[in-house]
Amino acid sequence: MSLILGIDLGTTNSLVGVVDSGFPILLANEEGQRLTPSAVNYAADGSCIVGAAALRKRALDPKRTVTSVKRLIGRRSGEGDWQPPYQLSEIGTTPVQVSAEILKLLKAIAERALEQPVNRAVITVPAYFNDAQRNATKQAGELAGLTVERIVSEPTAAALAYGLDKLSERQKIAVYDLGGGTFDISVLEMREGIFQVLSTAGDTQLGGDDIDRAIAESICPTGADPAQFVEAAEAAKKRLSTEDSTRIDLPFYDGSISLSHEINRNDFEKLVRPLIERTRTHCLRALSDAGVKPDELDAVILVGGSTRIPMVRRYVAEIFGREPDISQNPDEAVALGAVIQAGILSGSLKNVLLLDVTPLSLGIETFGGLMNTIIPRNTTIPCKAGEMFTNAVTNQQDMLIRVLQGERELAKDNWELGRIVLPFPAGAKGSARVGVQFTIDANGILQVLARDTATQTDTVLEIQNTAVDVDDDRVEQMIAESVEYAFEDMNERVWTEAKLKAEELLPAVDAALMQFGDAVSDDERSAIMTAAVKVRTSLNAPEHDAKALKMANQELDDATQELAVRLVERAMEESLLRRGLV
Ligand code: ADP
Ligand code: MG
């Protein structure tokens, strides 16, 4: 059995772990710490040092010390409003390469602790990461010599860590993650060992760094650069999580002037409250997207180092109207979840299934530069969806498809992921049938397929980076056609969803019957078999009858209720055994 590492590649700190003899464990670095700073310092010759040693160089060598690179990964230059104190182009590196250096160190930490080479990993990313950011993270892993088996959203990982010993319960939970650089809020449902993200929201530019900067600016004498006080500010902030008041002393910080400040918790809270308050709208949005009221939640889990701040805990209690759950170590929950997911994938942990969602809507541009959503945000992944189009003009030679990601109504406000030009044989207007299909795999990575179905052939697609002018008439006609086919497309979408469900259900039922064959009564077995046959018949019928398949799925679900309960009990038992509780 080959080991798979679980990695939390954090903005501020990164962690690595593995399932060892049935237990998820996190591994300490050479300094004995499980948290390794996500910092890389580059020497003039291009060599670099990584982790705490690199962080210690930051004050002296700020232009060559890269921190918070996660705020840059997978972004186009100029995108986002964060200005790093260094220039990656001057250093001669890229966000992917810097992240790869951090991952190489984590791999080395694991190999030293485990005394064997390891080359597979699960890596977490913020739920709000888009396709490009997830892809870039995957690339970084590969550059570090790791096969990235799965990209998992951080709140999902945290929920997994929280929920491992509650497999038999049905719970709705929120994960509030305030780290160094990002804020994520997710609402999840766990039932019968299945985790499903109902919604996610957040802010990729909000975290403890902003709190440190606010403190630094507040103590900074006029004319001085606040950046030089950030480190002292962070240390003071951490002390204020347990103490009522603290001193910031920086004797002769510039050679002659000294700085000495007393900060009490009251001052601190006044200063950072506006930052913490920014999390509120995201929380409300996540709740409304999930269709969950605060009092329907079973728990609100806190993760991320910044949730150690007492005011954050009070504020979360205020938003959700309940005390947050602090059972998880806020620094380690995400990494622990990554390790558990890695353990499930490698087969060293069983009986847990993970479902994630798309963080942003995906679609294509249509009439008048509007966004036409194909996969709405918060759709459970892996998933597939598509639409049919036809040619608008006689003898049209090809069709341009702009692939977009975002929530805005206008295409120009959304992010263009790529363009596809699909050629087809010249013919009369309306003779071509072009299917555009979006597939998102379990890592949240998107593949777009455009197929000319009129000629029954798959056409090889080209993604072009160069801009192509879109003819308004053509697009107008395209949308008219898409409305014409909307009903069929809808049925097809429901069918596809039901088909996916059936394809998930059937093997799971077969496996469960194999495992519990002897414990199942003849009546129960024959009911299950009958229901399974119905699903298979629907699935293989020439006509796509979405309603019939959905009903058959439901019947099979009902027939296997007791079997499912037994599976969960077994999972519970194993989990308790692993923990040495029975
Ligand atoms: P990330 O996920 O961004 O890597 P972490 O979850 O490791 O971040 O959190 C790092 C942040 O938590 C930093 O801003 C750090 O200052 C802050 N932090 C850590 N411990 C404490 C504490 N005791 N009180 C307040 N903030 C803390
Ligand atoms: Mg984190």
Side-chain angles (χ1 to χ4, degrees), residues 110-122:
E111 288 176 340
R112 191 181 61 95
L114 300 167
E115 298 179 328
Q116 58 171 293
V118 197
N119 48 32
R120 301 166 72 195
V122 167

Side-chain angles (χ1 to χ4, degrees), residues 416-478:
E416 179 177 314
L417 295 177
R419 291 164 176 239
I420 292 167
V421 174
L422 180 72
F424 43 73
K429 171 182 168 185
S431 63
R433 287 279 178 279
V434 175
V436 177
Q437 188 181 57
F438 281 37
T439 310
I440 304 182
D441 69 12
N443 297 323
I445 289 171
L446 170 72
Q447 233 190 16
V448 180
L449 175 85
R451 177 180 293 170
D452 177 6
T453 54
T455 57
Q456 295 296 316
T457 48
D458 286 8
T459 309
V460 182
L461 301 171
E462 214 181 324
I463 295 192
Q464 298 195 339
N465 294 321
T466 48
V468 182
D469 278 337
V470 186
D471 178 335
D472 268 3
D473 283 351
R474 209 167 98 186
V475 179
E476 186 174 0
Q477 196 60 35
M478 193 195 284

Side-chain angles (χ1 to χ4, degrees), residues 58 180 207-218 226 229-231 233-235 237-238 268 272 275:
R58 179 165 62 172
D209 293 353
D210 303 287
I211 296 174
D212 303 343
R213 207 170 317 121
I215 299 173
E217 280 165 9
S218 82
F229 307 119
V230 164
E231 232 159 284
E234 183 187 6
K237 169 189 76 176
K238 289 186 180 169
F268 169 76
V272 300
L275 288 169

Side-chain angles (χ1 to χ4, degrees), residues 8-13 15 70 124 126 154 177-182 184 303-305 330-331 334-335:
D8 171 6
L9 182 61
T11 309
T12 321
N13 298 300
L15 299 95
K70 193 169 167 182
T124 58
E154 287 160 14
D177 180 349
L178 190 61
T182 57
D184 274 296
V303 290
D331 305 316
V334 168

Side-chain angles (χ1 to χ4, degrees), residues 6 14 57 88 109 117 142 256 269 282 310 321 332 347 402 460 488:
S14 296
K57 293 219 168 200
L88 291 184
I109 290 169
E142 273 147 26
S256 60
E269 294 190 347
H282 298 295
E332 298 182 351
R402 286 184 70 209
V460 182
E488 269 168 47

Side-chain angles (χ1 to χ4, degrees), residues 526-541:
S526 93
I528 292 172
M529 297 302 253
T530 311
V533 166
K534 253 195 197 163
V535 172
R536 286 203 169 89
T537 311
S538 264
L539 202 54
N540 296 326

Side-chain angles (χ1 to χ4, degrees), residues 320-335:
F320 292 94
R322 65 164 61 243
E323 285 305 314
D325 177 291
I326 47 169
S327 63
Q328 298 305 301
N329 178 332
D331 305 316
E332 298 182 351
V334 168

